[in-house]
Amino acid sequence: MYNLLKGKKGIIFGALDENSIAWKTAERVHEEGGEFVLTNAPVAMRMGQINALAEKTGSQIIPADATSEEDLQNLVDKSMEILGGKLDFVLHSIGMSINVRKGRAYTDQKYDWTQKGTDVSAMSFHKVMQTLYKADAMNEWGSIVALTYMAAQRVFPDYNDMADNKAYLESIARSFGYFFGRDKNVRVNTISQSPTPTTAGSGVKGFDGFIAYAEKMSPLGNATAMDCANYTVTLFSDLTKRVTLQNLYNDGGFSNMGVSDAVMDEFMNKE
């Protein structure tokens, strides 16, 4: 441990269970000396084991619906009260598609479900940042990070409308990141993570195939949830003070690959 986050305080959204990237990040932030408030939607909290994480990291939990401006204002106000001042870091690790959950194809979406998924997965990031911005809740040189996936740039058919949600999320990071940087000296970035067997990710049709293919394509193999947590810690630290408006790939090199020997071998062996 390097004490990279000693004295820093923040909010971590989305820890559900020990498979969650947000959960691993909370553990690593704690190990690096950071303090934080944990938050998730009330319905998600009933499904997960967030109380165990709070006890392990000495953190308090504030339930909040990230689509509710009122809930977010309460979360920010109470977090600053609990932590004793402004925030240094925020992790947005939230995503949901009802179309995916219900098995609706991309070409047969139920649009009220689509709209709900967009609100939860992407618009919530704007709402979080707008709440922080208006409340002047971030310390100078603070860091805001959201998690994404490269289906925002390339076609992964079974990722469905979540691909659109992630593209919107990344655009919000750039657009709001400009204002946060200009006005508050706060950086905003997204991490495009390898397919990771979290509770949410595993709900995507063909997810095991995603993981196997990415593993064969990536020269370093798939990045794990812990790899992502470590990367997030560096972005929360003072070592990356001038990194902002970036979509940063933590994917073992997958995003720059055209084809790999392992994938070619797989196809040749089937002939």
Side-chain angles (χ1 to χ4, degrees):
M1 308 315 158
Y2 307 98
N3 276 329
L4 288 176
L5 303 179
K6 186 176 181 180
K8 294 191 181 296
K9 308 170 190 301
I11 301 174
I12 294 178
F13 286 80
L16 182 66
D17 56 37
E18 61 184 8
N19 296 316
S20 305
I21 293 173
W23 184 293
K24 301 292 188 190
T25 302
E27 291 178 329
R28 286 294 293 117
V29 169
H30 175 66
E31 289 169 353
E32 293 295 341
E35 298 176 64
F36 48 84
V37 164
L38 294 165
T39 186
N40 213 329
V43 63
M45 289 176 61
R46 289 195 294 272
M47 294 165 52
Q49 299 102 39
I50 195 171
N51 288 325
L53 179 63
E55 184 175 346
K56 180 178 182 179
T57 58
S59 307
Q60 293 194 42
I61 304 168
I62 303 175
D65 177 351
T67 68
S68 165
E69 294 175 70
E70 183 180 352
D71 278 16
L72 289 173
Q73 188 64 60
N74 177 65
L75 170 65
V76 169
D77 290 344
K78 285 193 173 179
S79 295
M80 288 195 291
E81 182 181 324
I82 289 167
L83 297 170
K86 292 186 181 184
L87 309 173
D88 301 292
F89 60 84
V90 174
L91 175 65
H92 179 284
S93 181
I94 305 170
M96 182 276 296
S97 166
I98 304 176
N99 284 306
V100 170
R101 286 184 182 175
K102 300 286 188 180
R104 294 291 287 252
Y106 187 78
T107 52
D108 184 33
Q109 293 185 41
K110 189 172 180 181
Y111 289 118
D112 56 342
W113 291 356
T114 306
Q115 190 168 14
K116 179 64 175 175
T118 300
D119 198 19
V120 171
S121 305
M123 185 68 77
S124 65
F125 192 40
H126 193 287
K127 291 177 180 178
V128 167
M129 287 199 285
Q130 182 167 291
T131 303
L132 294 164
Y133 181 89
K134 288 185 172 182
D136 194 24
M138 296 294 295
N139 277 319
E140 192 174 31
W141 302 115
S143 177
I144 301 170
V145 173
L147 301 184
T148 185
Y149 181 56
M150 73 169 303
Q153 287 83 34
R154 301 186 188 179
V155 178
F156 291 81
D158 292 327
Y159 204 62
N160 208 309
D161 57 330
M162 275 304 299
D164 301 332
N165 295 337
K166 293 301 189 185
Y168 186 21
L169 177 86
E170 292 174 19
S171 178
I172 289 169
R174 289 187 295 270
S175 297
F176 218 124
Y178 165 75
F179 294 102
F180 244 131
R182 183 195 69 182
D183 299 337
K184 313 282 189 182
N185 278 345
V186 169
R187 58 217 138 109
V188 180
N189 296 287
T190 53
I191 295 176
S192 189
Q193 169 71 3
S194 295
T196 309
T198 62
T199 301
S202 299
V204 176
K205 180 183 174 185
F207 191 73
D208 289 345
F210 271 22
I211 290 181
Y213 173 71
E215 181 71 25
K216 286 183 179 293
M217 278 286 286
S218 308
L220 295 181
N222 288 330
T224 65
M226 185 58 77
D227 291 330
C228 190
N230 285 325
Y231 197 15
T232 304
V233 164
T234 69
L235 290 175
F236 286 167
S237 79
D238 291 335
L239 299 177
T240 52
K241 284 174 67 171
R242 290 301 197 296
V243 179
T244 195
L245 311 186
Q246 302 301 309
N247 181 46
L248 300 161
Y249 291 96
N250 186 53
D251 64 0
F254 179 89
S255 50
N256 272 327
M257 291 296 296
V259 71
S260 69
D261 292 335
V263 168
M264 289 295 290
D265 290 344
E266 188 80 11
F267 277 100
M268 297 302 290
N269 290 337
K270 288 181 178 179
E271 291 183 0

